[in-house]
Amino acid sequence: MSTIKPAKRGRRTVARHGRLTSPHPFAQLMKVLAVAVAVVLVAGLGVGGYVLYDLTQSYTADAVELEGQSDVPPDIGAIEGGVNLFIAGTDKCEPEYADIFGDRCTGPDSGSELNDVNMLVHISDEPRRVTVISFPRDLMVPIPSCTDADGNTSSAMSKQQINTTFSYGGLSCTVKTISELSGQDIPFAATVTWGGVIEITNAIGGVDVCVSGGIRDRYTGLDLTPGMHTIQGVEALQFLRTRHGVGDGGDLGRISNQQQYMSRLVKKLVSEDVLSNPATLYKLASTALSSIDPSTSLTNPLTLAQIALAVKDVPFDEITFIQYPTVADPADANRVIPNKSAATALWDALATNQPLELTGEASQGDGVVVVDPTEAPTEEPTDAATEAPAPTEGATEAPAPTESAVALPDSIAGVTAAQETCSNGNLTGIG
């Protein structure tokens, strides 16, 4: 069994224009929202119009109105201009999973719900590109005044942890906070819970992930040997939640670990294993739509189709996963604050709508290493690990770009969906 060492620092890679064709007309419908776990809600509609009405009844029942945001009128054809979609992953204690989540459902914080995963999915105008920006749960930011579902209004706060926003005003408050932090208009949003992750992963038969060095995390119960693994159910949730078992044991390493999962989820969703199986597609659709709470702006099937059409030709190397740039908080070593200059460079780069050149590391917290996809195992992954791919000296290169790229600051970590990464695991459970 081979063990992978982290790739050397400083190697550059560019999000390129090589076109990857889709094996199925609904593959692109899945691709954009699959880049974040909850975006499977759009993918679910790929089963066809004959099930659309039945499935969307439960999906629309708990839709959330976004404060200060206007709906985008649905139309026939791809959505015009660029668009932003926000995904929140919350730690809600759902009764059917209470025996799994332990103290989270019985401890002093069991009555609260936190947005521990925060992802902004940016879809550019023509030429279409997709950029997923993950915001750390430990990020300290200003939180605006928010109104919750009961009509209670919270006061604005100058500095609070970003994962508390959900407790002040639900999804709308989280979106409002991210919108003010980024300067981006966010008309679409959705929430997925821990239980939703379990059910969605089960619906597609698991996701294949790569582990370097092995993962042992006594806090989540995850124990994986080096190599490739097919994870689903509770184990998939453990993989997404682990931080003690990867990298430096911090939240920044966990983010890149989650990005490996999302990248491989994208590839699983557009594979023939899923798309050529009507029963799997229907199960995925019904599971996703019953597991996700959307904003009211996402409840119209035409709107979902518009978003899908906008990304139907986006190749994997133009889907970029980025960690929102941060620096250590001088007031608390366990928290981070925005790296404002790097963040400004990121938003400015997205505004130019040119390919992004990633000049930094794959992970701010050493959570993953980039590997050579040509060395990937040829056997189908099983519950028992197969040998992991060999490490590269840097990020995997792609064909030459067809237009100039914008170089992001090296303080911004990220990878593209075309690159192969492995979790940089440890067996000590640090953190």
Side-chain angles (χ1 to χ4, degrees), residues 2 5 19 46 65 106 116 170 177 205 254 264 269 278-279 345 353 355-356 366-367 376 380 383 385 407 425:
S2 65
K5 297 179 180 179
R19 294 289 161 184
E65 191 75 38
T106 59
D116 280 347
T177 301
R254 170 164 51 190
R264 293 181 184 273
L269 287 173
N353 195 21
L356 299 178
D366 296 324
E380 288 295 321
D383 288 337

Side-chain angles (χ1 to χ4, degrees), residues 167-193:
S167 64
Y168 295 120
L171 178 61
S172 177
C173 188
T174 303
V175 170
K176 189 176 181 181
T177 301
I178 296 291
S179 181
E180 294 193 6
L181 174 66
S182 64
Q184 302 286 308
D185 182 50
I186 307 173
F188 306 112
T191 303
V192 63
T193 62

Side-chain angles (χ1 to χ4, degrees), residues 21-363:
T21 58
S22 166
H24 189 284
F26 289 109
Q28 313 304 340
L29 190 62
M30 294 189 173
K31 187 178 351 181
V32 64
L33 295 184
V35 289
V37 175
V39 184
V40 183
L41 62 93
V42 171
L45 300 183
V47 297
Y50 69 98
V51 298
L52 195 56
Y53 178 80
D54 177 57
L55 292 177
T56 54
Q57 296 312 294
S58 61
Y59 171 65
T60 61
D62 297 317
V64 177
E65 191 75 38
L66 297 182
E67 186 177 347
Q69 302 287 348
S70 57
D71 290 350
V72 175
D75 196 0
I76 300 299
I79 199 164
E80 295 185 1
V83 65
N84 291 312
L85 166 70
F86 181 78
I87 307 297
T90 70
D91 65 354
K92 181 180 181 180
C93 180
E94 296 160 297
E96 58 267 44
Y97 308 107
D99 59 329
I100 299 173
F101 300 151
D103 290 345
R104 182 63 191 88
C105 294
T106 59
D109 297 328
S110 59
S112 64
E113 185 174 359
L114 302 175
N115 49 296
D116 280 347
V117 176
N118 302 278
M119 292 175 286
L120 180 62
V121 182
H122 174 77
I123 305 167
S124 74
D125 196 0
E126 296 286 354
R128 302 288 186 175
R129 299 180 174 91
V130 178
T131 307
V132 184
I133 301 103
S134 293
F135 297 81
R137 68 182 295 279
D138 295 331
L139 179 64
M140 304 298 289
V141 296
I143 297 179
S145 173
C146 295
T147 302
D148 65 17
D150 297 324
N152 301 312
T153 301
S154 62
S155 300
M157 290 160 276
S158 61
K159 186 180 182 183
Q160 287 289 325
Q161 195 166 321
I162 199 170
N163 76 329
T164 64
T165 55
F166 206 88
S167 64
Y168 295 120
L171 178 61
S172 177
C173 188
T174 303
V175 170
K176 189 176 181 181
T177 301
I178 296 291
S179 181
E180 294 193 6
L181 174 66
S182 64
Q184 302 286 308
D185 182 50
I186 307 173
F188 306 112
T191 303
V192 63
T193 62
W194 284 354
V197 172
I198 290 175
E199 298 304 327
I200 290 170
T201 311
N202 285 345
I204 62 171
V207 174
D208 305 332
V209 297
C210 176
V211 176
S212 162
I215 297 176
R216 184 172 298 137
D217 183 354
R218 65 182 183 276
Y219 296 93
T220 63
L222 183 64
D223 192 349
L224 295 176
T225 56
M228 297 295 295
H229 296 263
T230 300
I231 59 173
Q232 62 186 92
V234 174
E235 190 173 51
L237 181 63
Q238 291 172 329
F239 183 84
L240 290 168
R241 291 184 62 208
T242 186
R243 67 177 178 87
H244 301 280
V246 294
D248 61 9
D251 188 51
L252 300 181
R254 170 164 51 190
I255 285 176
S256 52
N257 195 54
Q258 292 168 345
Q259 290 174 339
Q260 187 218 156
Y261 174 92
M262 291 184 288
S263 180
R264 293 181 184 273
L265 174 63
V266 171
K267 294 167 185 175
K268 177 66 177 283
L269 287 173
V270 300
S271 71
E272 284 298 325
D273 290 343
V274 173
L275 294 173
S276 63
N277 190 326
T280 299
L281 279 175
Y282 186 89
K283 183 178 181 182
L284 172 62
S286 58
T287 300
L289 295 178
S290 64
S291 300
I292 294 165
D293 292 332
S295 61
T296 53
S297 54
L298 267 184
T299 56
N300 190 311
L302 279 178
T303 302
L304 297 175
Q306 283 181 281
I307 295 174
L309 288 171
V311 300
K312 70 183 183 67
D313 292 323
V314 179
F316 291 149
D317 50 13
E318 291 284 18
I319 299 176
T320 308
F321 297 97
I322 285 175
Q323 297 184 40
Y324 180 78
T326 62
V327 294
D329 185 351
D332 187 342
N334 294 317
R335 301 291 180 264
V336 293
I337 57 176
N339 180 336
K340 293 183 178 180
S341 62
T344 297
L346 170 61
W347 306 127
D348 289 346
L350 292 179
T352 69
N353 195 21
Q354 292 174 271
L356 299 178
E357 181 181 352
L358 300 172
T359 67
E361 300 297 319
S363 169

